[in-house]
Amino acid sequence: MKVLVLGGGVIGVTSAWYLAEAGHEVEVVDRQPGPALETSYANAGEVSPGYASPWAGPGVPRKVVKWLTMPFGPLVIRPHFDPAMFVFLLRLLRNCTSARYAENKARMVPIAEYSRDLLRDLRGSTGITYDEREQGTLQLFRTEKQLHGADEDIAVLRQFGVPYELLDPAGCIAAEPALADVRGKFVGGLRLPGDETGDCKIFTDKLAKMAEARGVSFHFSTVVDTILTEAGKVSGVATGAGILKADAYVVAFGSYSPKTLRPLGISVPVYPVKGYSITVPVKDAAGAPVSTVMDESYKIAITRLGDRIRVGGTAEVSGFDMTPRPARRATLEHSVADLFPRGGDLAAGTFWCGLRPMTPDGPPLVCGTKLPNLYLNTGHGTLGWTMSCGSGRVIADVISGKRPDIDISGLNLARCGG
């Protein structure tokens, strides 16, 4: 079967890889001149199945008020006339209950765990490297309230058998020795030893080359104009380079998926939430993190990537506005300087922003649609890197008519009323 994948980020490339592995003829089309040049370019570097959680949760509406007034708050909302923004925010609020949080997290953890396991298998079978480390994630709590608030997450981790360690300050320092410099600034942490780190851009570049060696064709610098239909199914895709035809089609356009699908009468609840990162060279290895530290107060991940530190986070709800805001950089710099004051050279850091494709409830959409040869692999939010291999394998299995290894009943449009 010939399959056309729309999107050349980490989700599109892993989809192409697993489709090719399943024996399909695969083509990938993307408007950028190469792979992973948008949201996958400079994310936080976490492969964190243990931290796979929906943003919508109990207490979030109350926290939002605090976040919006904090000097270095993790959330910014820039209201403008955008009905999709208000629908997204209302749907997100509806999911801010304990029951829905538990249900949505239970849908996210299995695909994230599965994906991490497949990534390990991929490393073993191909030897791919990408500044990877297998030293876990430390969620760092600055207050007792944050520490006690981890109970609901721990309950889900127990439910799915995800290893975890609840640490006192000494335990946090044992996991991340550089925190000894700031031992008075935190009260404990939740460590997830099964989590990993790595550079998503490097991974996607290398996997694309490996996929190409397996026969996958890439059409870069090619804009998709319209998905064409005939007799109740997709008949081709009109692009700037002509019409591309296949037997099956996968939409992996991230935040741009709704715009692509809307003319087909397919509504997907995906909305862009802008995230930021800085990448700074390590100045003092002993003062830098060894893996990922999640600063719970500012919702910022501080990750070691080889001789660099990637600091990623913040959420800016502003539609498709890609303006880099200096205040967001200040938030990232504040967090890393506060916890690892001698680790990185902030003056030499590079600043980046990208659009995370968020669903209001949290889980991605990895499924078919009402058109029998059109499939979705989108809506991964902040967890695209974490869920990429699992999502790629699942969509390859679905297209191949195979039953996926995990339950994907909660990853379809039916949960969204579609």
Side-chain angles (χ1 to χ4, degrees):
M1 183 187 301
K2 184 175 180 180
V3 185
L4 179 63
V5 178
L6 310 184
V10 68
I11 298 297
V13 171
T14 50
S15 297
W17 172 263
Y18 286 105
L19 283 162
E21 192 175 60
H24 300 291
E25 179 186 351
V26 185
E27 294 186 13
V28 178
V29 59
D30 194 274
R31 66 182 181 179
Q32 295 292 345
L37 289 174
E38 293 193 29
T39 302
S40 303
Y41 183 78
N43 64 20
E46 299 173 272
V47 179
S48 51
Y51 202 67
S53 302
W55 281 20
V60 165
R62 185 176 63 254
K63 291 177 183 177
V64 164
V65 176
K66 176 184 176 182
W67 291 337
L68 290 175
T69 58
M70 286 172 59
F72 296 104
L75 175 66
V76 175
I77 298 176
R78 300 188 186 280
H80 58 281
F81 183 71
D82 182 0
M85 175 192 292
F86 295 107
V87 170
F88 169 77
L89 292 174
L90 286 172
R91 287 179 174 177
L92 188 144
L93 286 172
R94 282 207 303 267
N95 280 279
C96 291
T97 67
S98 295
R100 289 190 177 185
Y101 177 83
E103 180 181 33
N104 291 328
K105 187 175 176 73
R107 289 169 171 166
M108 297 171 73
V109 171
I111 182 71
E113 287 278 315
Y114 179 57
S115 187
R116 190 269 322 281
D117 293 344
L118 286 173
L119 179 59
R120 289 175 174 172
D121 291 344
L122 185 63
R123 280 204 306 271
S125 63
T126 67
I128 190 170
T129 58
Y130 44 90
D131 277 340
E132 73 281 0
R133 292 188 177 208
E134 298 179 82
Q135 294 177 257
T137 294
L138 176 63
Q139 186 178 0
L140 199 67
F141 303 124
R142 293 176 181 261
T143 68
E144 293 289 344
K145 185 176 181 180
Q146 291 172 351
L147 182 61
H148 297 312
D151 291 345
E152 289 189 10
D153 285 336
I154 289 172
V156 177
L157 296 174
R158 285 175 177 163
Q159 177 185 348
F160 289 97
V162 179
Y164 72 90
E165 300 166 0
L166 196 59
L167 304 177
D168 61 11
C172 294
I173 292 169
E176 287 285 353
L179 290 175
D181 292 345
V182 294
R183 66 176 66 240
K185 293 185 176 180
F186 54 92
V187 299
L190 177 64
R191 183 170 181 265
L192 305 168
D195 285 6
E196 302 184 4
T197 58
D199 190 309
C200 181
K201 167 63 173 167
I202 294 174
F203 170 84
T204 309
D205 281 345
K206 290 187 176 182
L207 191 65
K209 289 180 181 177
M210 290 162 50
E212 195 168 26
R214 282 198 169 193
V216 175
S217 298
F218 288 88
H219 303 278
F220 290 119
S221 300
T222 303
V223 175
V224 170
D225 296 318
T226 312
I227 296 179
L228 308 173
T229 60
E230 185 178 331
K233 66 178 185 178
V234 177
S235 58
V237 175
T239 76
I243 295 176
L244 301 177
K245 290 183 173 288
D247 301 303
Y249 302 80
V250 179
V251 175
F253 269 158
S255 296
Y256 298 91
S257 299
K259 181 180 179 181
T260 303
L261 295 163
R262 196 173 298 120
L264 306 177
I266 298 173
S267 177
V268 293
V270 172
Y271 190 79
V273 176
K274 185 162 60 175
Y276 291 85
S277 75
I278 55 172
T279 305
V280 302
V282 171
K283 182 169 64 176
D284 180 347
V290 298
S291 189
T292 290
V293 172
M294 173 61 70
D295 186 344
E296 181 63 15
S297 292
Y298 302 105
K299 303 294 183 183
I300 287 172
I302 304 167
T303 301
R304 179 73 171 270
L305 297 175
D307 60 358
R308 299 161 295 147
I309 302 172
R310 174 72 50 74
V311 188
T314 82
E316 185 176 303
V317 183
S318 55
F320 289 88
D321 176 11
M322 284 292 290
T323 306
R325 309 280 180 179
R328 300 298 94 207
R329 177 170 188 158
T331 297
L332 299 171
E333 291 182 348
H334 171 76
S335 179
V336 67
D338 196 46
L339 294 177
F340 298 96
R342 58 190 177 92
D345 184 0
L346 292 179
T350 56
F351 187 39
W352 172 89
C353 64
L355 299 177
R356 309 179 184 108
M358 304 291 296
T359 59
D361 55 354
L365 294 162
V366 189
C367 58
T369 69
K370 67 180 183 179
L371 300 179
N373 62 339
L374 181 65
Y375 302 85
L376 306 180
N377 197 357
T378 189
H380 296 77
T382 61
L383 296 163
W385 178 206
T386 294
M387 295 181 174
S388 57
C389 288
S391 297
R393 174 65 180 272
V394 163
I395 208 66
D397 285 344
V398 170
I399 291 173
S400 302
K402 293 176 59 179
R403 183 176 180 176
D405 295 332
I406 61 171
D407 179 11
I408 61 168
S409 59
L411 305 181
N412 58 35
L413 280 169
R415 79 169 198 263
C416 312

